[in-house]
Amino acid sequence: MRYSVKIEDKEFDIDIEYKSEKYIATINGKEVIIESHKLGESRSIMLLNNKSFEVDVRSNGYDNAKTVFVLGQEIPVEIENYNLAQLKKKAGMSSASKMDLTLKAPMPGLILELKTTVGDSVKKGDALVIIEAMKMENVIKASGDGIIKSISVESGQSVEKGDMILEFE
Amino acid sequence: MRYSVKIEDKEFDIDIEYKSEKYIATINGKEVIIESHKLGESRSIMLLNNKSFEVDVRSNGYDNAKTVFVLGQEIPVEIENYNLAQLKKKAGMSSASKMDLTLKAPMPGLILELKTTVGDSVKKGDALVIIEAMKMENVIKASGDGIIKSISVESGQSVEKGDMILEFE
Amino acid sequence: MPKIKKILIANRGEIAVRIIRACRDIGIISVAVYSDTDASAYHVRMADEAYHIGASPSSESYLVHDNILKAAKQSGADAIHPGYGFLAENATFAQRCIDENIIFIGPKPETISLLGDKLQARQAAIKANLPLVPGCEFDNENMTDALKKAGEIGYPILIKAAAGGGGKGMRVVEKPEDFEESLKRASSEAVSAFGDGRVYIEKYLLRPRHIEIQILTDQHGNGIHLNERECSIQRRHQKLIEESPSPVMTGSLRKGMGDAALSIAKQTDYVGAGTVEFMVDEDMSFYFLEVNTRLQVEHPVTELVTGVDLVKEQIAVAEGAKLRITQDDIAINGHAIECRICAEDPQQNFMPCTGTLKNYRLPAGPGVRVDSGVVIYSEVPIYYDPMIAKMIVWGKDRSEAIERCKRDLEEYRVSGLKTTIGFCRVVMDNKKFISGDISTAFIKEEYPENNFVLLSDELKEQAALAVAVDTFINERKIRLDEEQKHTKESGWKNYHRKQSVTRLGGES
Amino acid sequence: MPKIKKILIANRGEIAVRIIRACRDIGIISVAVYSDTDASAYHVRMADEAYHIGASPSSESYLVHDNILKAAKQSGADAIHPGYGFLAENATFAQRCIDENIIFIGPKPETISLLGDKLQARQAAIKANLPLVPGCEFDNENMTDALKKAGEIGYPILIKAAAGGGGKGMRVVEKPEDFEESLKRASSEAVSAFGDGRVYIEKYLLRPRHIEIQILTDQHGNGIHLNERECSIQRRHQKLIEESPSPVMTGSLRKGMGDAALSIAKQTDYVGAGTVEFMVDEDMSFYFLEVNTRLQVEHPVTELVTGVDLVKEQIAVAEGAKLRITQDDIAINGHAIECRICAEDPQQNFMPCTGTLKNYRLPAGPGVRVDSGVVIYSEVPIYYDPMIAKMIVWGKDRSEAIERCKRDLEEYRVSGLKTTIGFCRVVMDNKKFISGDISTAFIKEEYPENNFVLLSDELKEQAALAVAVDTFINERKIRLDEEQKHTKESGWKNYHRKQSVTRLGGES
């Protein structure tokens, strides 16, 4: 089975087959022999060419998005059937992340201050809104350039996680 | 609901009712107000008259036998409906432990030495058999007085946990 | 001298657990309090007793004097330990405890009140002959005088609120032209944050170190200091990594700072454990900053190098005991570093996170201590501080402590929540940090725009392989299960066919 | 001097994990080995790399020289650390490592071999002027001579096997009449256990303390000792609780024992970490017992009071480095106590247990270190030693260490397996233990017939309440669920009735 795996900016082409209780993976042309033992639920111990890793692979509820915890790090991963990914790419449906056109509340909290108004053009890194949560003020910054299309909240308002804050165009 | 609870040599008569999100227990005439919050699976935090305990109550696969882990101690408990227990007592079916008439292997291991032969009369505390397991020699002693009726193993033999070793009469 | 028998801990999380452990060591009964969301929290499980004190927001539970005092009365506690945060530096609450005949484990209300006001604290420091950053108070209305004073100090200057804290009402002014506007904004911010518009100005140090002295004093006028802690690794005025001793400390500087700390303690009639914070300039001059009238988050680094259990000493002092240790007993044994483990996402500008700890395993083995407020399956709620634990590591010297920090940060297992673990690991590899060349500007200067690498390319490759194999195994299992089902189903089909045939040949 | 880059750890469980941690601290790659049953064991998860070495019984995996050396070659390890047990004191294996050009982290094969033979070790001790328990060798065949010698020593005497260990081939003789019979039985036991019937006799001390000296020597003739450990709390010759320093040690006795330990090290050309065991009589005379040519289980108590990481020093010595610490660097900072956490049932005569750890949470906070070989959901297999972890506690003095031991034993959470935790807790409350009045006869004398109370009546009552409430909650839930189901079902009935009615009134 061949997979297309994406972590942050890196894309991996991984082909896996099962042979005599081991998994043989070919990653970007290199062969890796893998042993895997379940530790219950979502955790496993894996030996990649005898290198030991305790991994915890969790599904995020979406088909392709998973989270893996390894060496104390939480790593978001996108995984897809390789052929499907190729097809999508050709059709221009690349799952490569574009700039998200909406900003949703990343946590429940209180809108302290709006840093922009409708029609403003913002640059990547510009402060958009300040949310108070867990006793701290959190500045939410733009993840890319854009123009503010609409704003759905006002200062002093409480928001739940996932509530729409504003839209870009 | 009224229960009869037995731990080692102690018997408790406990009556419980549920009132406004708390449990009111009467134990041997004394009232205790209990709050309980599940911690997932078999563990709970319980406040007994505001005294805090983290308890892990596990069923042993039998109806009446349970194990509770509290304050780092593993405690075997027998619990029964109070009325049923009273009935049994009257009928002479007291669940109070009598001397077990069989000795089963308490762990997998190797029978190193038999300390008795059929027909021997043994006293409480007499060595019956030595089993080697986990690199150690373990002396299994009689839990009461009795006469050896039969022996099902011989030295050098491997046993699994629960295998019959000998019977008393 | 009355012994304390039962202590109510008016706090939650790791500091409540920390205090409960000290109580247990000396046979004192510990009483936890909890809000709705904390009913099964770790500090409740750890305590001997626990009382409910209200709804989840701290303003309806951990901050409500009446509710806490009611729980204290109900439980029969003879003392209250406030921890840090919440009511720890609240003079009114301390006074209420005294009025209700309950020992408040902390300084006198008057001392808390005096040191909580920055201008009063500054006056006390001047009386006690402590060096202060050049600066002064002035009449807000007389701008000519203010501008003149600012010019004398020299730019850049810092405008600070008298009632300040947490960076509110604080402004850096680079040049005289900006002074008037900044002053107005700082003052109005201070009014809205603290209801008190008083401000003062100080010289702004560009790359100061934050070094603080732990003090311990009793009710009989005895006092000692327990060396310094260097807390320069900060993000937005929040300490992240602390250590003791400071990598730049010398014997004479330590004596100078220690004497200064004890001198302001004397001046303010200080009783108990406290921390005198200083800024240390690049030329190693030190300046008084403020006094924290409570146990600090970072107290364990001092415990690990001095061997003194500060919470036990706090309790002894509150009982009225004379100090059991003298200045000569305080040695420096090795080196300790603390990393704060916060539920924050370093890649999203350290945004706080909430969630359930699906996996949570502490590092263990030589030299590591973890003071954790959570365990596996704990929920991290939105209502409180995002710090879930502190990892404190001891080594025979700074370099062994850093080595062990690296190991233990990698050994820490957390699933279900993002934390500062990975970022602390990054700092441990930073050459400037390793050489001890740090200041409060360290994170800002070293990681502008949060440009640190949490995941190496090698780790990404390994993670990709792990997820691919996991996916392969799951898909393979589903395929095999389905094949088996098909085999079974066709088995059933055959069985049905047989039945039918039988029937055909029989009854029908 | 060649630096070691990769170490294979020829062991499992907590000691493998301990060594992996030391490797990680100094940037050495660690290689685990594992048997079938250990494929997902904690030491495999902790290591950088892992190799399978055979079936579950140790005779088919951890003891097989060839398999371990093959894994070493495959992984490219340049050194092997044997831990304790298994191959740690196997001179043949040590020699094979040398022959294969792999560094064996331990003494020379000749030293291991010499000190492994009790009679040869006795001779070395005599040459090094160490005090020995009055005793002697004799001609097994010349009973008259043997009886005479036994008489000169004075009864009770102890017959010991020259190749002995673990109490095998050992017999206490109370009176001359029993001597000949006991001698024959001890000798024949020694033949069957070790293939070597040589025995010797020693005066039997009634209530000796077991006190041992930790030594550390390099390849250049330098050696230091790291104080003593008192290991008198034993069950059937198995240590259970160890501490450092000994509660009865004096400066001059420590110097005497330390010098003696270094003197036999010199005599036997000892290199690396080792332990010289002594018995100390009630009059504080000390007698040489044996030398353990390896890292001991109880080494962490020494680490906690001296601040020295013994495993790192072992590695440095193996690399050929000169000792980095001198005798003057070795201080005694506070007091440390170790409790061995074994999968044993104290109420069933400490019978070993196997099973799955359904819950496993380590104590944490001030002063506690746990070296654990297992984590939550680990299986404890029957093939190996029942010790699953060691809890080591530090306090500024013995009494603080005992207080913290109590707290941490209560904080330790284990479900699914019986352990020695409760019994260690019992010992911590024993007045004789608290006063330091202990000997190797302590457990036998204090708890004959295992008559200790693990569960107080109060705890029983609380446990009974907990189980009753739990049962009540479950039964109530079942009842409520059923009621709800009934309501639903009757709802369905009504629905069907309605349908029928409709049909009746309609189509039919």
Side-chain angles (χ1 to χ4, degrees):
Chain A
M1 195 64 70
R2 197 162 167 194
Y3 300 97
S4 180
V5 184
K6 192 157 183 294
I7 298 182
E8 290 183 353
D9 54 324
K10 286 264 167 191
E11 271 188 76
F12 301 95
D13 168 7
I14 302 177
D15 193 25
I16 302 185
E17 55 173 335
Y18 181 71
K19 233 183 208 169
S20 54
E21 296 187 33
K22 283 177 187 176
Y23 303 91
I24 320 288
T26 312
I27 178 162
N28 298 346
K30 192 173 57 185
E31 192 178 278
V32 180
I33 297 169
I34 301 173
E35 271 185 79
S36 176
H37 300 276
K38 276 267 171 219
L39 298 172
E41 213 190 341
S42 57
R43 291 182 304 127
S44 318
I45 172 168
M46 288 196 190
L47 300 179
L48 313 182
N49 280 343
N50 289 105
K51 283 203 174 134
S52 170
F53 295 90
E54 200 177 324
V55 302
D56 186 349
V57 182
R58 297 190 177 258
S59 166
N60 296 1
Y62 311 102
D63 265 0
N64 303 336
K66 301 205 173 181
T67 304
V68 55
F69 296 86
V70 55
L71 281 180
Q73 297 281 356
E74 174 179 324
I75 307 174
V77 178
E78 285 171 48
I79 180 163
E80 247 181 324
N81 179 289
Y82 179 82
N83 297 325
L84 205 61
Q86 291 303 105
L87 267 177
K88 277 192 188 169
K89 248 185 201 165
K90 273 183 202 153
M93 291 164 59
S94 162
S95 63
S97 51
K98 299 172 246 169
M99 187 192 168
D100 198 353
L101 288 178
T102 60
L103 173 69
K104 289 175 179 163
M107 71 195 85
L110 183 75
I111 303 292
L112 268 195
E113 196 180 341
L114 281 157
K115 293 290 206 178
T116 53
T117 51
V118 174
D120 280 6
S121 68
V122 294
K123 288 210 152 40
K124 184 177 170 178
D126 282 357
L128 298 174
V129 60
I130 302 178
I131 302 182
E132 188 181 279
M134 296 175 102
K135 317 255 108 193
M136 286 171 72
E137 299 180 8
N138 304 284
V139 182
I140 316 295
K141 294 177 176 176
S143 59
D145 304 349
I147 294 167
I148 307 296
K149 188 178 162 193
S150 70
I151 296 182
S152 319
V153 296
E154 46 193 64
S155 327
Q157 181 183 335
S158 288
V159 289
E160 289 301 311
K161 188 175 172 171
D163 280 0
M164 178 69 74
I165 293 182
L166 52 79
E167 280 182 291
F168 301 93
E169 63 186 37
Chain B
M1 195 65 69
R2 196 163 165 192
Y3 300 98
S4 180
V5 184
K6 193 159 182 292
I7 297 179
E8 290 185 353
D9 54 325
K10 285 266 167 191
E11 270 187 79
F12 301 94
D13 168 8
I14 302 177
D15 193 25
I16 301 185
E17 54 173 336
Y18 180 72
K19 234 185 210 167
S20 53
E21 296 187 36
K22 283 180 186 175
Y23 303 91
I24 319 288
T26 312
I27 179 163
N28 298 348
K30 191 173 57 187
E31 191 178 277
V32 181
I33 297 169
I34 301 173
E35 270 185 81
S36 175
H37 299 276
K38 277 268 171 219
L39 299 172
E41 213 190 343
S42 57
R43 291 181 305 129
S44 318
I45 172 168
M46 287 195 192
L47 300 180
L48 313 182
N49 280 344
N50 290 103
K51 283 203 175 136
S52 168
F53 295 89
E54 201 177 324
V55 303
D56 186 348
V57 182
R58 296 191 178 259
S59 166
N60 296 1
Y62 310 103
D63 264 0
N64 303 336
K66 302 207 174 181
T67 304
V68 55
F69 296 85
V70 56
L71 280 180
Q73 296 281 356
E74 174 179 321
I75 306 174
V77 178
E78 286 172 47
I79 180 164
E80 245 180 328
N81 180 289
Y82 180 81
N83 297 325
L84 204 63
Q86 291 303 104
L87 266 176
K88 276 193 187 170
K89 248 186 201 163
K90 272 184 201 151
M93 292 162 62
S94 159
S95 63
S97 53
K98 302 172 243 170
M99 187 188 169
D100 197 353
L101 288 177
T102 61
L103 173 69
K104 290 177 179 162
M107 72 195 86
L110 184 74
I111 303 290
L112 267 195
E113 196 180 341
L114 281 157
K115 292 290 205 178
T116 53
T117 52
V118 173
D120 280 5
S121 67
V122 293
K123 289 212 151 40
K124 184 178 171 181
D126 282 358
L128 298 174
V129 60
I130 302 177
I131 302 183
E132 189 180 277
M134 296 175 99
K135 316 256 109 194
M136 287 172 71
E137 298 180 8
N138 304 285
V139 182
I140 316 293
K141 294 178 175 175
S143 58
D145 303 351
I147 295 168
I148 307 294
K149 187 180 167 192
S150 70
I151 296 182
S152 320
V153 296
E154 46 192 61
S155 332
Q157 181 183 332
S158 288
V159 288
E160 290 300 313
K161 188 176 170 168
D163 280 2
M164 177 70 73
I165 292 181
L166 52 78
E167 282 182 292
F168 301 92
E169 65 187 33
Chain C
M1 201 179 70
K3 283 274 176 192
I4 292 173
K5 289 187 188 68
K6 198 182 248 193
I7 294 178
L8 180 141
I9 297 118
N11 217 306
R12 64 181 301 283
E14 70 84 18
I15 194 62
V17 173
R18 165 70 190 93
I19 297 163
I20 290 165
R21 286 186 172 125
C23 289
R24 195 144 293 159
D25 281 352
I26 44 183
I28 288 176
I29 299 167
S30 56
V31 181
V33 291
Y34 61 94
S35 68
D36 286 350
T37 196
D38 276 345
S40 56
Y42 187 38
H43 73 284
V44 177
R45 304 192 216 171
M46 281 285 291
D48 292 320
E49 301 179 16
Y51 289 79
H52 179 247
I53 50 158
S56 302
S58 45
S59 58
E60 297 171 39
S61 48
Y62 297 104
L63 289 172
V64 183
H65 302 194
D66 282 343
N67 296 7
I68 288 176
L69 287 164
K70 190 178 154 209
K73 293 282 170 193
Q74 276 186 332
S75 65
D78 38 22
I80 291 181
H81 196 306
Y84 53 71
F86 294 138
L87 301 174
E89 289 171 291
N90 188 309
T92 314
F93 180 70
Q95 187 58 53
R96 284 248 358 232
C97 291
I98 295 171
D99 296 344
E100 306 264 4
N101 220 5
I102 293 171
I103 296 172
F104 177 81
I105 300 177
K108 296 176 192 165
E110 307 82 57
T111 310
I112 297 175
S113 166
L114 186 157
L115 291 169
D117 183 291
K118 293 206 171 181
L119 284 180
Q120 283 190 55
R122 227 177 123 85
Q123 290 308 324
I126 290 168
K127 275 189 210 150
N129 283 318
L130 262 61
L132 286 163
V133 180
C136 60
E137 301 167 46
F138 51 84
D139 179 1
N140 281 16
E141 303 305 312
N142 188 341
M143 194 51 61
T144 323
D145 177 55
L147 260 171
K148 181 164 159 277
K149 282 178 170 160
E152 280 164 17
I153 291 166
Y155 290 83
I157 60 161
L158 189 64
I159 303 175
K160 286 168 108 175
K168 278 181 180 154
M170 206 185 260
R171 278 281 182 296
V172 179
V173 189
E174 303 282 348
K175 46 190 193 300
E177 301 87 274
D178 300 340
F179 182 76
E180 190 169 349
E181 175 63 18
S182 296
L183 179 66
K184 278 183 186 154
R185 289 192 56 189
S187 183
S188 86
E189 230 177 79
V191 168
S192 75
F194 316 110
D196 179 350
R198 289 175 302 147
V199 294
Y200 62 103
I201 54 176
E202 270 182 11
K203 176 145 190 66
Y204 180 65
L205 303 181
L206 283 176
R207 303 184 73 243
R209 288 168 180 268
H210 176 116
I211 299 182
E212 60 191 29
I213 300 285
Q214 174 70 51
I215 58 166
L216 183 65
T217 55
D218 65 18
Q219 302 178 15
H220 311 280
N222 306 302
I224 60 170
H225 75 83
L226 294 96
N227 309 324
E228 77 284 0
R229 293 185 288 260
E230 162 123 29
C231 315
S232 298
I233 309 296
Q234 306 184 349
R235 268 196 77 258
R236 298 191 292 189
H237 305 285
Q238 296 280 341
K239 297 167 187 168
L240 184 66
I241 296 172
E242 302 102 337
E243 56 187 306
S244 183
S246 160
V248 291
M249 190 52 62
T250 63
S252 65
L253 182 59
R254 181 175 293 124
K255 182 160 184 346
M257 291 177 73
D259 287 349
L262 288 172
S263 142
I264 191 164
K266 191 120 232 164
Q267 178 66 39
T268 56
D269 206 8
Y270 200 94
V271 172
T275 298
V276 185
E277 296 191 329
F278 296 95
M279 283 194 291
V280 176
D281 209 351
E282 289 171 277
D283 66 358
M284 301 303 282
S285 318
F286 66 92
Y287 304 102
F288 170 75
L289 198 58
E290 62 180 9
V291 182
N292 289 320
T293 57
R294 54 166 161 88
L295 194 67
Q296 299 271 89
V297 172
E298 59 270 24
H299 75 277
V301 294
T302 299
E303 295 188 323
L304 288 189
V305 295
T306 62
V308 174
D309 186 319
L310 282 167
V311 180
K312 278 161 64 170
E313 298 310 319
Q314 279 190 304
I315 295 170
V317 165
E319 284 174 335
K322 285 192 180 166
L323 282 193
R324 303 178 285 193
I325 24 181
T326 66
Q327 194 65 56
D328 288 343
D329 295 331
I330 302 302
I332 297 182
N333 175 36
H335 196 99
I337 299 177
E338 171 176 285
C339 296
R340 298 195 185 189
I341 314 300
C342 302
E344 295 175 355
D345 183 353
Q347 288 179 306
Q348 298 289 326
N349 201 30
F350 293 84
M351 177 118 48
C353 305
T354 61
T356 304
L357 291 164
K358 293 173 191 153
N359 190 17
Y360 189 73
R361 202 168 76 218
L362 304 182
V368 62
R369 158 178 168 185
V370 184
D371 281 15
S372 179
V374 294
V375 289
I376 192 164
Y377 305 133
S378 283
E379 297 274 344
V380 178
I382 61 152
Y383 304 100
Y384 318 109
D385 192 280
M387 194 182 78
I388 57 172
K390 303 176 314 202
M391 187 186 95
I392 315 104
V393 168
W394 183 91
K396 63 180 186 297
D397 49 31
R398 189 167 187 267
S399 105
E400 184 171 84
I402 292 176
E403 281 168 2
R404 286 177 168 176
C405 253
K406 289 185 195 175
R407 179 238 299 164
D408 292 319
L409 288 166
E410 284 176 11
E411 213 177 303
Y412 218 121
R413 291 280 170 275
V414 182
S415 305
L417 210 57
K418 303 216 178 188
T419 70
T420 44
I421 292 173
F423 180 67
C424 289
R425 183 70 187 73
V426 165
V427 174
M428 291 299 144
D429 271 335
N430 182 294
K431 288 209 175 70
K432 280 199 167 177
F433 177 79
I434 293 169
S435 72
D437 177 15
I438 52 181
S439 78
T440 55
F442 175 85
I443 291 184
K444 209 168 54 192
E445 288 178 2
E446 292 294 300
Y447 308 105
E449 311 280 321
N450 294 334
N451 59 338
F452 42 81
V453 178
L454 289 181
L455 310 177
S456 68
D457 283 353
E458 204 190 344
L459 186 59
K460 282 180 197 167
E461 186 178 304
Q462 287 149 351
L465 278 168
V467 173
V469 169
D470 187 81
T471 306
F472 179 83
I473 291 173
N474 290 340
E475 290 177 355
R476 190 166 171 271
K477 193 176 172 302
I478 292 169
R479 215 167 50 236
L480 291 178
D481 285 357
E482 254 170 32
E483 275 168 24
Q484 213 175 0
K485 217 174 93 193
H486 273 290
T487 321
K488 250 192 209 154
E489 269 173 12
S490 41
W492 272 106
K493 247 181 232 160
N494 284 338
Y495 176 75
H496 281 291
R497 198 167 294 148
K498 231 168 149 188
Q499 287 264 318
S500 310
V501 172
T502 311
R503 240 188 253 162
L504 279 175
E507 258 187 70
S508 301
Chain D
M1 200 178 72
K3 282 274 175 191
I4 292 173
K5 289 187 189 67
K6 199 183 245 192
I7 294 178
L8 180 142
I9 296 117
N11 217 305
R12 65 182 299 283
E14 70 84 18
I15 194 62
V17 173
R18 166 70 188 93
I19 296 162
I20 290 165
R21 287 189 171 122
C23 289
R24 194 143 295 159
D25 281 351
I26 45 184
I28 289 176
I29 299 167
S30 55
V31 181
V33 291
Y34 61 94
S35 68
D36 286 351
T37 195
D38 276 344
S40 55
Y42 187 40
H43 73 285
V44 177
R45 301 192 217 172
M46 281 286 291
D48 293 319
E49 300 179 16
Y51 288 81
H52 179 246
I53 50 158
S56 301
S58 46
S59 59
E60 297 171 40
S61 48
Y62 297 104
L63 289 171
V64 182
H65 302 194
D66 283 343
N67 296 8
I68 287 174
L69 287 164
K70 191 177 152 212
K73 294 279 171 195
Q74 276 186 332
S75 64
D78 37 22
I80 290 180
H81 196 306
Y84 53 71
F86 293 138
L87 301 173
E89 290 172 290
N90 187 308
T92 315
F93 180 71
Q95 187 59 53
R96 285 252 350 238
C97 290
I98 295 170
D99 296 345
E100 306 263 5
N101 220 5
I102 292 171
I103 296 172
F104 176 83
I105 300 177
K108 296 174 192 167
E110 308 83 57
T111 309
I112 296 174
S113 166
L114 185 156
L115 290 169
D117 183 291
K118 293 208 172 181
L119 284 180
Q120 282 189 57
R122 227 178 123 84
Q123 289 308 324
I126 290 167
K127 274 189 211 150
N129 285 318
L130 262 60
L132 286 163
V133 179
C136 60
E137 302 166 44
F138 52 84
D139 180 359
N140 281 13
E141 303 305 313
N142 187 341
M143 196 48 63
T144 323
D145 177 53
L147 258 171
K148 181 161 159 281
K149 281 178 171 162
E152 280 164 15
I153 291 167
Y155 291 84
I157 59 161
L158 188 64
I159 305 176
K160 286 168 108 176
K168 276 180 179 157
M170 207 186 261
R171 278 281 183 293
V172 179
V173 190
E174 303 282 350
K175 46 189 196 295
E177 302 87 272
D178 300 340
F179 183 76
E180 189 168 350
E181 178 61 17
S182 295
L183 180 65
K184 277 183 184 152
R185 291 192 55 190
S187 182
S188 86
E189 231 178 77
V191 169
S192 73
F194 316 110
D196 178 350
R198 288 174 305 146
V199 294
Y200 63 103
I201 53 176
E202 271 182 10
K203 175 141 190 68
Y204 180 65
L205 302 182
L206 283 176
R207 304 184 72 243
R209 287 168 182 269
H210 175 115
I211 299 182
E212 59 190 30
I213 300 284
Q214 174 70 52
I215 57 167
L216 182 66
T217 56
D218 65 17
Q219 301 178 16
H220 312 280
N222 307 303
I224 61 169
H225 76 84
L226 293 97
N227 310 321
E228 76 283 359
R229 291 185 288 259
E230 162 122 30
C231 315
S232 298
I233 309 296
Q234 305 185 348
R235 269 196 77 259
R236 298 191 290 190
H237 304 285
Q238 296 280 341
K239 297 167 188 168
L240 183 67
I241 296 172
E242 301 102 335
E243 58 188 306
S244 183
S246 161
V248 292
M249 190 52 63
T250 62
S252 64
L253 182 59
R254 181 176 293 125
K255 183 163 185 344
M257 292 177 72
D259 288 349
L262 288 172
S263 144
I264 192 164
K266 191 121 233 161
Q267 177 66 39
T268 56
D269 207 7
Y270 199 94
V271 171
T275 297
V276 186
E277 296 190 329
F278 296 95
M279 282 194 292
V280 176
D281 210 350
E282 287 170 280
D283 66 358
M284 301 303 282
S285 319
F286 66 91
Y287 304 103
F288 172 75
L289 198 59
E290 63 180 8
V291 181
N292 290 320
T293 57
R294 53 167 162 87
L295 193 68
Q296 299 271 88
V297 172
E298 60 271 24
H299 75 276
V301 293
T302 298
E303 296 187 323
L304 288 189
V305 294
T306 62
V308 174
D309 186 320
L310 283 166
V311 179
K312 279 161 64 171
E313 297 310 319
Q314 281 190 304
I315 294 169
V317 164
E319 284 175 335
K322 284 192 183 165
L323 282 193
R324 303 178 283 192
I325 24 181
T326 66
Q327 195 64 57
D328 288 342
D329 296 331
I330 302 302
I332 297 182
N333 175 37
H335 196 98
I337 299 178
E338 172 177 283
C339 296
R340 298 196 186 189
I341 314 299
C342 301
E344 293 175 357
D345 182 355
Q347 287 178 306
Q348 298 288 326
N349 202 29
F350 293 83
M351 178 120 48
C353 306
T354 61
T356 304
L357 291 164
K358 292 173 194 154
N359 189 17
Y360 190 72
R361 201 169 75 217
L362 304 182
V368 62
R369 158 179 168 184
V370 183
D371 281 15
S372 179
V374 294
V375 288
I376 193 165
Y377 305 132
S378 283
E379 297 274 343
V380 178
I382 61 153
Y383 303 102
Y384 319 109
D385 192 279
M387 195 183 77
I388 57 171
K390 305 177 312 203
M391 187 187 93
I392 316 104
V393 169
W394 182 91
K396 64 178 187 296
D397 50 31
R398 189 167 187 267
S399 103
E400 184 172 83
I402 292 175
E403 280 168 3
R404 287 178 168 175
C405 253
K406 288 185 195 176
R407 179 238 299 166
D408 292 319
L409 288 165
E410 285 177 9
E411 212 177 306
Y412 219 122
R413 292 280 169 276
V414 182
S415 305
L417 209 58
K418 302 216 179 190
T419 70
T420 45
I421 292 173
F423 180 67
C424 289
R425 184 67 187 75
V426 165
V427 174
M428 291 301 142
D429 271 336
N430 183 295
K431 289 211 176 68
K432 279 198 168 178
F433 177 78
I434 292 170
S435 73
D437 177 15
I438 51 180
S439 78
T440 56
F442 175 85
I443 290 182
K444 209 168 56 193
E445 288 178 1
E446 291 294 300
Y447 308 105
E449 311 278 324
N450 294 334
N451 58 340
F452 42 80
V453 178
L454 289 181
L455 310 178
S456 68
D457 284 354
E458 205 191 343
L459 186 58
K460 282 180 196 166
E461 185 178 305
Q462 287 149 350
L465 278 169
V467 173
V469 169
D470 187 81
T471 306
F472 179 83
I473 292 173
N474 290 340
E475 289 176 356
R476 189 164 172 272
K477 191 176 174 304
I478 292 169
R479 214 168 50 235
L480 291 178
D481 284 356
E482 257 171 28
E483 275 169 23
Q484 209 173 7
K485 219 173 93 195
H486 273 289
T487 320
K488 251 193 207 152
E489 269 172 13
S490 40
W492 273 106
K493 248 182 232 160
N494 285 338
Y495 177 73
H496 281 294
R497 198 167 296 148
K498 230 168 150 188
Q499 288 262 317
S500 309
V501 172
T502 312
R503 241 188 252 161
L504 279 175
E507 258 187 73
S508 300

